[in-house]
Amino acid sequence: MHRPGLRAVPVQPDHRRVRRRSRPGDLARYHTAIEKADRVFAGLLAELEEDGLWEDTIVLYSSDHGGVGPRSKRFCYDDGLRVPLVVRVPARFAHLSPWRPGERVAAAVSHIDLAPTLLSLADVPVPASMQGRPLFGRAAAPPAGVAFGGRDRMGERYDFVRTVRDGRYRYLRNYAPHRPHGQHVAYMWQARGYQAWEAAHLAGTLDGPAARFFAPKPAEELYDLAADPDEVHDLAADPAHAGRLAALRGLLDAHLLRVNDNGFIPEGSPLQGYAPSREPGAYPLPEVMALAGTAIARDPANLDVFVAALADAREVIRYWAAQGLLMLGPDAAPAAAALEAALADPSAHVRIAAAEAYGRAVDGPRGAAVLARALGAEHPAPVRLQALNALVYLGGDAAFAEDGLVAAADAAHPGVRSAARYLLLRLRGEYTPEAVVFDLDHFRASSDGRHR
C-alpha cells in the first residue's frame, strides 16, 4: 500500500518502484523528506518564539529544486524548477510588504530576487550590477511576473534547454531536440524510478506521454499550467495559442540577449566566460541564435545554409553549422564532402559534432574513428565528454573506439568515467537499467566530484 497522494504523474510509469514504502520508492521517499523538512522548520520557528524574537523576525522559506521523482530535478518543467516561497512579515514590519497577510501572490518570481530583497529589507542600496528585483523592503518593486530557467550539461550528458514561465504558461525551447530527455545519467540512474521507466521503455510497454521521455524532442513546447499542471499536453502547435507562444518566445529571446547567454558556446571553448564572450565581434549572439533556431527546425531544405556556415571563420558559427547537419540525421548525406572537410577542423568541438553527423549520415566507422581520437587523456574533460556522448548515438559503430573507451573508463573525471563505462556495457550487451555505472567511491574521493 502507499499513502494517498503518492502517485506517478502521467509522464511516468505508475510502478511500485516509484511509489512503494517498503524499500521506499522515489515518491514515498520524497514525501518522507518533505515531512522531515517541515519538522525541522517548525522547530526553528518554535525557537524564535521561545527566544522572544517571533515578532521581530521576517521569515522567508524556500528550497532547493531537489526532488527524487522522475522528470523533476534537472528538467525544465515545473516539477524540476518550481520551488516554494513563503514569507511571514510581523505586524511591526507590515509597511515593508506590498502584500496583505495571507495573500497568495500568483506572479512568477525567482531565487535571483532573494539577494536584492534581503538588501532592501536591511535598507542597504541594491547594486546596479545585481540581477533580480527586491520583493520587500523600502526598495520593493513589482515582481517581473516571469521566471527564466535552463538546462545544459547534467552529469556526463549534454542537453540545451531554455524556458520562461509566467503566472500560467510555460514555454520551452529545445536546442538539442535530437537528444531525448531520457539520456542515461549515471548519478541520476541510481533512482529506482528511472530504472523502472527505462525498463518499461526497453520492454516496449510505454505509450502516450510516458513514451516521449525516450524520444526526440520538439523544438518548442508550450503548456497551460492551470489546465495541465503535469505538462503533458503540448500547445505549441495549437493555433488558438499562437499569440501566447509568440509573446513568450519574444520574452525568452530578449532575455538570452540581455544576459549574453553563453550556452550556445561549446563547453571548453576559449570563448566561454564573461569577458571573452563580450569581446567586440567575438560572440555574435543574434547571428548564433538565428543559426541555432534554423538548426532545431530540422528541415532538410536548410542544408545549404549549414554547409555555407561550416566555412565561417568563427568557431561558434561552424559549431552550430555542424549541429544543424547533425540534427538532420540521414538527411545530411548530401553534405558529405563538407562534413568530411570538417573532420579536420581546428576546433575539437566542431570536429566532434561533424564526426557524429558524418557517422550517422555517411560512414559510421569513419565517424567513430575521429571520435576515438578525442578520447585521449591529453584532451580536456569537456572534449572527451562530447566525444563520448556522440559515440552513444553511433550504435554498434562505437565499437571502433573500444580501446579509447576502456582507457576512459578509468579516467579521473567522474563524468568521463561514467560515460565510458555506460557505453562499454551497451557495446558488450551487458547493460540493464539496474546496472551500476556510477562509481560512488571514486566520486567521494575525487576533487572533481562537483562535476556530477
Side-chain angles (χ1 to χ4, degrees):
M1 296 291 292
H2 64 278
R3 288 172 289 175
L6 295 186
R7 64 179 184 85
V9 299
V11 296
Q12 306 163 13
D14 191 7
H15 193 281
R16 68 182 185 279
R17 295 179 70 182
V18 177
R19 292 184 277 99
R20 68 185 178 192
R21 294 184 69 188
S22 175
R23 292 184 61 202
D26 292 344
L27 294 178
R29 293 170 64 190
Y30 176 59
H31 281 251
T32 298
I34 291 174
E35 291 174 357
K36 290 180 178 178
D38 285 348
R39 286 196 297 270
V40 171
F41 185 56
L44 293 172
L45 297 183
E47 287 182 22
L48 288 175
E49 288 196 278
E50 291 168 6
D51 294 341
L53 299 173
W54 181 241
E55 295 303 327
D56 297 322
T57 305
I58 296 173
V59 177
L60 290 85
Y61 178 88
S62 190
S63 77
D64 176 71
H65 65 156
V68 296
R71 211 191 75 162
S72 59
K73 183 173 182 175
R74 303 179 185 85
F75 295 95
C76 287
Y77 300 102
D78 252 32
D79 283 344
L81 292 179
R82 188 177 182 184
V83 296
L85 178 58
V86 182
V87 181
R88 193 260 179 180
V89 181
R92 64 175 297 193
F93 297 125
H95 62 286
L96 298 178
S97 174
W99 296 286
R100 301 182 305 275
E103 183 177 356
R104 180 182 177 90
V105 180
V109 299
S110 300
H111 269 161
I112 203 168
D113 297 322
L114 295 184
T117 295
L118 294 175
L119 292 177
S120 175
L121 286 171
D123 211 14
V124 174
V126 178
S129 60
M130 181 173 283
Q131 296 183 34
R133 300 184 181 206
L135 304 175
F136 295 87
R138 292 185 175 86
V146 294
F148 298 94
R151 166 180 164 98
D152 294 282
R153 177 166 64 83
M154 298 288 164
E156 67 273 24
R157 299 299 172 209
Y158 284 92
D159 202 351
F160 185 7
V161 184
R162 293 294 182 265
T163 182
V164 58
R165 184 203 197 281
D166 63 16
R168 178 166 177 173
Y169 293 89
R170 177 175 296 284
Y171 167 76
L172 301 98
R173 187 177 300 152
N174 294 305
Y175 283 109
H178 57 307
R179 300 294 197 229
H181 288 302
Q183 297 186 75
H184 182 281
V185 179
Y187 185 86
M188 187 171 80
W189 239 251
Q190 295 178 105
R192 297 186 182 97
Y194 287 109
Q195 295 172 11
W197 202 347
E198 189 187 21
H201 165 66
L202 295 175
T205 60
L206 293 179
D207 57 16
R212 295 203 296 264
F213 191 66
F214 296 97
K217 303 186 286 287
E220 297 179 300
E221 301 171 67
L222 178 69
Y223 299 98
D224 179 347
L225 295 162
D228 176 28
D230 293 324
E231 293 165 284
V232 296
H233 302 295
D234 184 2
L235 303 173
D238 185 344
H241 290 85
R244 177 67 59 177
L245 180 72
L248 292 175
R249 184 189 286 151
L251 283 172
L252 183 61
D253 283 341
H255 173 74
L256 299 182
L257 292 168
R258 183 169 60 251
V259 301
N260 199 52
D261 193 313
N262 272 206
F264 297 90
I265 304 170
E267 187 181 22
S269 167
L271 190 58
Q272 273 191 315
Y274 186 92
S277 66
R278 285 169 170 78
E279 288 291 328
Y283 183 35
L285 185 52
E287 187 178 346
V288 173
M289 286 173 57
L291 184 58
T294 302
I296 65 177
R298 290 181 285 182
D299 185 349
N302 294 320
L303 185 140
D304 289 344
V305 173
F306 304 131
V307 169
L310 269 181
D312 197 278
R314 296 160 294 182
E315 178 196 46
V316 68
I317 296 293
R318 299 197 309 278
Y319 174 77
W320 275 100
Q323 288 289 322
L325 291 169
L326 170 57
M327 292 180 205
L328 292 180
D331 288 331
L339 282 171
E340 186 162 8
L343 298 181
D345 194 277
S347 164
H349 311 288
V350 176
R351 290 198 303 272
I352 288 168
E356 184 184 350
Y358 190 84
R360 296 180 69 177
V362 184
D363 185 336
R366 175 78 186 281
V370 173
L371 294 171
R373 292 196 289 273
L375 296 180
E378 70 275 12
H379 295 290
V383 168
R384 301 173 81 188
L385 278 176
Q386 288 159 35
L388 286 162
N389 276 267
L391 284 164
V392 168
Y393 295 94
L394 293 190
D397 289 329
F400 287 90
E402 186 165 1
D403 289 346
L405 293 173
V406 170
D410 288 322
H413 190 280
V416 172
R417 192 181 187 94
S418 292
R421 291 182 173 208
Y422 166 79
L423 189 48
L424 284 171
L425 288 172
R426 292 290 300 266
L427 289 172
R428 295 168 179 173
E430 299 170 359
Y431 175 75
T432 66
E434 296 80 15
V436 178
V437 177
F438 186 72
D439 190 336
L440 183 58
D441 291 337
H442 177 267
F443 173 77
R444 286 172 171 165
S446 173
S447 60
D448 288 329
R450 63 184 181 277
H451 293 301
R452 76 176 186 276

